[in-house]
Structure formats: C-alpha cells, structure tokens
Amino acid sequence: MTGPLLQVSTALDGKVAGLRLVGALDLDGTAQLLAAVADCFARRPDRVVLDLWGLRFCDCAGLNVLVEAKATADRIGTELRVEGARTQVARLFALAGVEELFAGGVPRLPPRIL
C-alpha cells in the first residue's frame, strides 16, 4: 500500500472550519476523522463544512462517525454541513435513513427498480 486509504485535511477561515475527506472512509479511517472533527469542534467555529467530493467510499463505521459529528455539532450549537456527497455515499445515507441530517449536500437519488 502506498498511503492511507483516507486523507483528511482541515482549514479554518474565521468562524468556519472545513474538513476535506479524500479516499475511503471505513473502520481504519474512523480514528483519524474523529480526531480531526474533535479538533475542529474544540475551536468552536460557527460552522463546520464536510467536503465529501473526494470521498469515493464510506461504510457503516464511517457513517457512524459522520452521524456522531452531526449530533455533537447540534449539541454545541455549531452548524455542520455536508457538501458533495457522491453517489455511493448518498446511497448509504439514504439506505440508513439519515439523508435529512445532511440534506444540503446530499443529492436525492431516484428509487431503485429491480
């Protein structure tokens, strides 16, 4: 393997923190994302933006971290927004019934016909 499956970069611009996720968010990447989210929340931004354009895969362990981040944001009064959920991630959100938590950046997928 040439590097980590998940890359998380952070940026802080005034009262807005950004987290950019690239690669695959599975059980192996959850600790890294949890640490980045905790660091962002410790700075008490008004808004945290999760940029998922580069996230090509997310499993239920990764989804749990995202849902936990949303719950923490709500609890501390920080807006958490998702941008750019690709089809696989949007489908996972829909199947788990959490797409409304991240409504702004999750495309509505057409129903699957078997």
Side-chain angles (χ1 to χ4, degrees):
M1 181 160 31
T2 59
L5 293 176
L6 177 68
Q7 296 173 352
V8 180
S9 57
T10 59
L12 185 62
D13 182 15
K15 296 299 276 178
V16 178
L19 289 169
R20 183 171 181 242
L21 282 60
V22 176
L25 176 56
D26 59 11
L27 183 60
D28 291 336
T30 58
Q32 179 185 359
L33 181 56
L34 279 169
V37 168
D39 182 55
C40 280
F41 287 149
R43 298 168 190 253
R44 295 289 194 207
D46 292 336
R47 182 181 332 144
V48 173
V49 178
L50 295 174
D51 176 353
L52 304 184
W53 280 110
L55 191 65
R56 68 181 189 284
F57 174 80
C58 182
D59 70 3
C60 59
L63 177 63
N64 285 337
V65 174
L66 297 174
V67 170
E68 183 180 322
K70 175 63 173 153
T72 300
D74 290 347
R75 189 173 59 252
I76 65 172
T78 296
E79 176 189 359
L80 186 129
R81 197 171 84 202
V82 167
E83 292 183 350
R86 296 167 86 173
T87 303
Q88 187 275 329
V89 177
R91 180 108 175 103
L92 177 63
F93 287 176
L95 289 172
V98 300
E99 68 270 33
E100 292 301 318
L101 289 177
F102 308 109
V106 180
R108 295 275 181 223
L109 299 177
R112 281 191 130 175
I113 298 173
L114 298 176

